[in-house]
Amino acid sequence: MKYNKKIVAGILSASLCAGSFAFAAPAMTRNIGVNYNLKLKVNGQDYTVTDENQRPFKTSDGRSYVSVASLNSMGIATSTYADNTVTIKNVASGPSSTEVQSQLNAVIAQNNGLMTTNNNLMTENAKLKAELETLKGSSSSSDNTGDAFEDLRSSDKRELVSDIESDLRSIRADSIFQRSQRFIVSASIDDDSVSLELTPDVDWTAAEIKDWNDILDDNNDYDDLEEDFEDFVQDVLDELKDTLDDYKGYDVKIEIHSDKDAKNLVVDAEYRSSKDKIYVDFNDAK
């Protein structure tokens, strides 16, 4: 039997080519030893893989392996599997636990500082509120005791004026000008002051007018006269104290005339409650 030489040659050639490919291809599997006694650190910190199937290991040929799935669970990388291909994408590493703790401590310290400042402000605010309440209480107390006479009815004012005039009926002024100088007292009240008009029983004589004016012309005598009438104003305040005991913060104005018609003002005096001070001024007699 005869064979076609060209066909046989072709079959042999194909057989040789196929055998060469099979023998040259690398092995897809092999047997190696595996040791799971391998520690894993992530960003400087020990990390334990809880899933038994994802634990890192080292092989007998000196290589170490980490599961792609474990990288995903640790937030180091994301992996996908499709078309027999594993695709890994890097994930930016965040701060270590030490860095996170340090940042947290800084935030806590700042918050504590703000809380301390807030507590100090609350304490200061409470102190200011207490002082304000004290001032309000003081103001309310003054109002309740009659800081001014504005709430008095007309009939009450008339009664109070009558009491003042009665209390001052026997008041006398002792000075270098005249001893036991007597006055007729006429009083009036407005919202926050008492006004007193003092006149003599009879008009001053020409000699008295001259003596008065001579005193005003002498500096030393003037100072003595001023001191004498400051004392007189204080005497008036002392006399009014009991009558006006229920009222606080009022001024007292005093005008003294040299004639009974109150046309010639010789002494203009005032007690100012806000300053707790007495002022005295003199005019020439006519």
Side-chain angles (χ1 to χ4, degrees), residues 16 35 39 41 54 94 127 135-136 179 183 186 206 216 224-225 256 277:
L16 290 172
N35 184 355
K39 292 183 178 180
K41 285 183 178 290
Q54 297 179 10
K127 181 179 178 182
L135 291 175
K136 286 182 177 180
R179 295 296 170 185
F183 304 102
S186 176
L216 297 187
D224 291 339
L225 186 67
I256 300 177
K277 190 173 182 179

Side-chain angles (χ1 to χ4, degrees), residues 8-258:
V8 173
I11 292 173
L12 290 173
S13 176
S15 299
L16 290 172
C17 288
S20 298
F21 178 79
F23 290 115
M28 300 303 293
T29 62
R30 59 178 174 169
N31 293 324
I32 58 175
V34 175
N35 184 355
Y36 285 98
N37 187 23
L38 186 66
K39 292 183 178 180
L40 180 62
K41 285 183 178 290
V42 178
N43 292 328
Q45 303 296 318
D46 291 337
Y47 190 89
T48 301
V49 178
T50 57
D51 190 338
E52 294 291 331
N53 296 322
Q54 297 179 10
R55 289 186 301 165
F57 60 87
K58 59 183 177 181
T59 62
S60 56
D61 59 358
R63 290 183 172 87
S64 299
Y65 294 88
V66 179
S67 167
V68 172
S70 68
L71 295 178
N72 186 46
S73 64
M74 289 183 287
I76 296 175
T78 58
S79 63
T80 58
Y81 177 79
D83 299 330
N84 204 34
T85 301
V86 176
T87 301
I88 299 175
K89 293 182 179 180
N90 291 333
V91 177
S93 60
S96 66
S97 61
T98 301
E99 293 172 331
V100 171
Q101 186 63 47
S102 177
Q103 294 174 4
L104 180 60
N105 290 339
V107 172
I108 292 174
Q110 182 180 19
N111 186 57
N112 288 339
L114 292 175
M115 290 182 64
T116 300
T117 301
N118 183 60
N119 289 337
N120 291 339
L121 290 175
M122 290 180 65
T123 300
E124 184 66 19
N125 184 54
K127 181 179 178 182
L128 292 175
K129 287 179 67 177
E131 291 177 355
L132 180 60
E133 290 301 322
T134 300
L135 291 175
K136 286 182 177 180
S138 176
S139 175
S140 176
S141 176
S142 296
D143 290 341
N144 291 335
T145 55
D147 184 34
F149 307 105
E150 58 184 355
D151 295 332
L152 287 177
R153 295 176 299 179
S154 298
S155 58
D156 294 331
K157 286 185 178 181
R158 287 195 297 270
E159 183 177 352
L160 194 58
V161 164
S162 177
D163 291 340
I164 292 172
E165 292 177 347
S166 177
D167 290 340
L168 298 179
R169 182 172 297 140
S170 60
I171 195 73
R172 300 287 186 272
D174 289 326
S175 68
I176 62 171
F177 167 69
Q178 193 177 83
R179 295 296 170 185
S180 298
Q181 185 178 1
R182 299 177 58 186
F183 304 102
I184 298 174
V185 179
S186 176
S188 63
I189 294 177
D190 58 19
D191 288 345
D192 56 4
S193 66
V194 175
S195 296
L196 302 173
E197 184 179 79
L198 279 59
T199 57
D201 292 337
V202 294
D203 295 348
W204 286 4
T205 65
E208 289 173 330
I209 292 175
K210 182 179 184 304
D211 289 342
W212 176 266
N213 292 336
D214 287 342
I215 292 174
L216 297 187
D217 291 336
D218 188 303
N219 290 334
N220 292 331
D221 290 343
Y222 186 99
D223 292 339
D224 291 339
L225 186 67
E226 184 177 41
E227 184 176 346
D228 289 340
F229 273 92
E230 286 176 353
D231 292 340
F232 171 72
V233 173
Q234 185 60 56
D235 291 340
V236 171
L237 295 176
D238 293 340
E239 287 291 336
L240 293 177
K241 185 176 181 180
D242 290 338
T243 303
L244 301 179
D245 185 54
D246 292 335
Y247 306 92
K248 307 297 179 184
Y250 55 86
D251 297 337
V252 176
K253 302 175 182 179
I254 301 175
E255 293 183 350
I256 300 177
H257 299 267
S258 63

